[in-house]
């Protein structure tokens, strides 16, 4: 069975902290994605990666960076967390013409 | 501008009633089309997808969707709703049919009355 896991379900961080969100997939997929989900806005693409060490900006990359050192792992980094980055973060990997999602990380920045 | 519209933010139906969730898109060519469901506290699960061919698509959990090119719509339907269908539903399109950069609608939250 396809599996995408995210390192934390809930996370609370302080303004200015560096935050790492980890995502791991076990399907050997090349494409991986990070979205943020906000009420009334749906899912918005932050970054995606189409291969190891390859990345491309999505629609809202400001304030975020990513890292993909291994095929199965795609990390989202908030260099200096701000309160407007409080959100649900969803990771996905692409295969078989569909995206498979992790359970999400609800990040609160105080 | 390219967009995906789900005009209904909230829908409430009684258990056993039929359901239709609306989705419209504004792209020139026919994109790849998807419906996902998100149960409370969970990630998204694919219900069904349309790429080409038969415009009526069957999915999991008894859902179906119909692609109507003339209306740029891809509405999701279920003939008889169960209480476990209460969730948020997202329509998504891949506008360039294979780049995998999906555009998601804003979602429709379904409430089911017993």
């Amino acid at each position: 069975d396809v599996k995408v896991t995210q390192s934390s379900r809930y996370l609370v961080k302080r303004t200015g902290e560096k935050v790492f969100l980890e995502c791991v997939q076990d399907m050997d997929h090349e494409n991986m994605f990070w979205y943020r989900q906000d009420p009334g806005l749906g899912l918005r693409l932050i970054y995606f990666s189409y291969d190891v060490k390859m990345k491309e900006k999505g629609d809202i990359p400001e304030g975020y960076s990513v890292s993909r050192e291994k095929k199965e792992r795609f990390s989202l980094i908030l260099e200096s967390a701000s309160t407007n980055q409080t959100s649900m973060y969803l990771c996905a990997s692409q295969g078989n013409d569909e995206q498979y999602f992790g359970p999400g990380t609800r990040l609160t920045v105080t | 501008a390219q967009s995906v519209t789900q005009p209904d933010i909230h829908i409430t139906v009684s258990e056993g009633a039929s359901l239709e969730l609306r989705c419209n898109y504004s792209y020139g060519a026919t994109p790849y089309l998807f419906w996902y469901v998100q149960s409370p506290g969970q990630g998204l699960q694919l219900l069904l997808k349309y790429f080409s061919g038969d415009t009526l698509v069957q999915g999991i959990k008894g859902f179906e969707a119909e692609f109507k090119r003339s209306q740029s719509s891809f509405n999701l339907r279920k003939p008889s709703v169960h209480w476990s269908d209460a969730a948020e539903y997202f329509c998504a399109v891949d506008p360039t049919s294979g780049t995998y950069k999906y555009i998601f609608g804003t979602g429709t939250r379904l409430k089911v009355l017993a």
Side-chain angles (χ1 to χ4, degrees):
Chain A
D1 219 10
V2 167
K3 195 159 187 180
V4 179
T5 56
Q6 296 183 229
S7 51
S8 305
R9 293 300 301 273
Y10 300 93
L11 209 52
V12 179
K13 295 292 181 180
R14 294 197 179 275
T15 302
E17 280 192 81
K18 190 170 186 175
V19 182
F20 293 86
L21 302 182
E22 305 284 338
C23 175
V24 177
Q25 52 100 357
D26 65 357
M27 297 158 285
D28 201 35
H29 289 163
E30 292 182 346
N31 298 333
M32 296 185 72
F33 306 81
W34 275 106
Y35 296 91
R36 67 176 281 176
Q37 180 181 11
D38 300 289
L41 297 178
L43 278 71
R44 293 178 292 167
L45 181 64
I46 305 172
Y47 266 97
F48 73 100
S49 169
Y50 47 93
D51 204 347
V52 174
K53 298 188 186 293
M54 306 299 283
K55 61 187 179 185
E56 190 168 319
K57 291 180 181 179
D59 300 317
I60 52 165
E62 297 79 18
Y64 303 95
S65 62
V66 290
S67 172
R68 190 153 180 216
E69 297 295 320
K70 293 185 177 182
K71 193 174 187 179
E72 68 270 19
R73 188 180 297 271
F74 190 34
S75 301
L76 180 69
I77 303 158
L78 287 66
E79 295 289 343
S80 178
S82 63
T83 55
N84 62 14
Q85 293 178 309
T86 291
S87 187
M88 171 72 90
Y89 290 87
L90 292 168
C91 173
S93 71
Q94 172 84 33
N96 303 321
D97 294 319
E98 69 178 84
Q99 291 189 11
Y100 299 86
F101 285 82
T105 295
R106 185 166 295 282
L107 172 67
T108 302
V109 183
T110 62
Chain B
Q2 298 177 331
S3 66
V4 178
T5 302
Q6 292 181 247
D8 303 306
I9 299 173
H10 297 278
I11 282 185
T12 300
V13 300
S14 297
E15 192 171 18
S18 63
L19 173 69
E20 182 169 30
L21 303 182
R22 296 182 289 165
C23 174
N24 293 93
Y25 63 90
S26 61
Y27 295 96
T30 300
Y32 289 177
L33 298 158
F34 307 84
W35 274 101
Y36 282 84
V37 61
Q38 185 180 33
S39 298
Q42 303 297 316
L44 276 67
Q45 180 184 21
L46 181 71
L47 287 174
L48 46 77
K49 58 189 175 186
Y50 173 79
F51 296 159
S52 65
D54 191 346
T55 56
L56 187 62
V57 181
Q58 301 298 319
I60 62 171
K61 305 186 181 192
F63 285 92
E64 66 178 25
E66 185 172 14
F67 168 62
K68 292 186 177 180
R69 185 188 307 275
S70 60
Q71 298 176 20
S72 297
S73 70
F74 188 56
N75 293 349
L76 182 71
R77 301 195 294 245
K78 187 169 185 178
S80 178
V81 170
H82 188 263
W83 64 267
S84 61
D85 293 323
E88 191 157 22
Y89 292 80
F90 292 94
C91 178
V93 303
D94 177 354
T96 50
S97 305
T99 63
Y100 313 125
K101 289 177 68 175
Y102 294 4
I103 307 296
F104 283 84
T106 52
T108 297
R109 186 169 296 278
L110 174 65
K111 182 177 180 179
V112 180
L113 301 177

